[in-house]
Amino acid sequence: MASPNGGDDFESSLLSFEKLDRASPDLWPEQLPGVADFAASCKNPITNSPPKWMAELESEDIEMLKELGSLTTANLMEKVKGLQNLAYQLGLEESREMTRGKFLNILERPKK
């Protein structure tokens, strides 16, 4: 059996007093590229100019973002399901129109 103080000796033998220089980029490379730049840009959140991605948005787009942001999870999921159904219906309609165009020979290339 080990003595009661034997556990302390074992734990103290596991301690490391090595000093690591965390300032070195070689020792501590950035794990996710761009995170440091993003974090630096978030340090000063109060700016007068809108972010780059908002520059191209129109007022209707901003209103839609606000509307979607105010939805609950269940309402947002319902909205997504509605968009999926709409996309499916548009796909069916496009398929019908392409078939119709094929039968009417309006999609053939003109012969030279």
Side-chain angles (χ1 to χ4, degrees):
M1 276 209 137
S3 67
N5 293 338
D8 293 336
D9 291 338
F10 177 70
E11 286 181 18
S12 64
S13 71
L14 294 176
L15 290 177
S16 172
F17 297 104
E18 181 181 2
K19 300 292 181 199
L20 298 176
D21 180 17
R22 292 186 178 263
S24 172
D26 296 330
L27 291 175
W28 303 97
E30 189 175 15
Q31 295 204 356
L32 298 172
V35 171
D37 296 333
F38 177 75
S41 70
C42 290
K43 285 183 180 177
N44 187 8
I46 301 173
T47 58
N48 293 335
S49 62
K52 287 186 250 180
W53 60 269
M54 282 191 71
E56 297 176 11
L57 294 179
E58 297 176 2
S59 60
E60 290 178 7
D61 299 330
I62 294 172
E63 288 302 316
M64 181 174 282
L65 283 174
K66 289 178 182 177
E67 175 189 334
L68 292 174
S70 67
L71 294 176
T72 64
T73 304
N75 290 345
L76 188 58
M77 290 302 296
E78 194 63 36
K79 188 84 162 173
V80 169
K81 286 178 187 177
L83 290 172
Q84 288 174 331
N85 289 338
L86 179 62
Y88 179 76
Q89 293 299 323
L90 286 173
L92 290 177
E93 186 177 331
E94 181 182 15
S95 176
R96 282 193 298 268
E97 292 298 321
M98 292 296 288
T99 303
R100 183 174 169 216
K102 182 179 176 184
F103 287 136
L104 294 174
N105 292 325
I106 60 173
L107 298 175
E108 287 186 9
R109 294 183 184 194
K111 296 180 180 175
K112 293 181 180 179

